[in-house]
């Protein structure tokens, strides 16, 4: 699902898409990805170029093999994904 460059400020509508495997939400105005933590089938997530201040819950996406958080908010530390 490609939702890149759509001026999105939230992804609340995606939280019930449990079978979604690929998601691009790059180049939006997102501050959080928490709603998509229920998308347990995600294997690819691109959320680059957003205003992310939280990546809480992304470690629950255990099928994720590709993750792009480049050029995101200033408060994000990629090492927070590690268990």
């Amino acid at each position: 699902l490609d939702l890149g460059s759509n001026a999105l400020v939230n992804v609340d509508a995606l939280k019930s898409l449990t079978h979604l495997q690929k998601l691009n939400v790059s180049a939006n105005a997102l501050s959080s990805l928490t709603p998509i933590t229920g998308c347990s089938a995600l294997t690819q997530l691109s959320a680059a170029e957003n205003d992310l201040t939280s990546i809480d819950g992304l470690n629950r996406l255990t099928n994720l093999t590709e993750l792009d958080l480049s050029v995101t908010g200033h408060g994000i530390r990629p090492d927070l994904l590690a268990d």
Side-chain angles (χ1 to χ4, degrees), residues 13-30:
L14 303 180
K15 63 184 167 187
S16 63
L17 300 179
T18 57
H19 298 289
L20 185 65
Q21 294 181 345
K22 297 178 183 180
L23 178 61
N24 175 18
V25 290
S26 295
N28 282 292
L30 300 174

Side-chain angles (χ1 to χ4, degrees), residues 3-67:
L3 296 174
S5 301
N6 279 292
L8 297 177
V9 294
N10 70 61
V11 286
D12 294 344
L14 303 180
K15 63 184 167 187
S16 63
L17 300 179
T18 57
H19 298 289
L20 185 65
Q21 294 181 345
K22 297 178 183 180
L23 178 61
N24 175 18
V25 290
S26 295
N28 282 292
L30 300 174
S31 61
S32 173
L33 297 173
T34 302
I36 65 162
T37 61
C39 299
S40 56
L42 270 182
T43 59
Q44 297 177 10
L45 173 59
S46 180
E49 299 180 50
N50 277 286
D51 299 322
L52 295 176
T53 58
S54 172
I55 54 172
D56 290 345
L58 286 189
N59 59 338
R60 287 185 234 147
L61 298 174
T62 57
N63 291 313
L64 206 58
T65 57
E66 294 182 35
L67 175 62

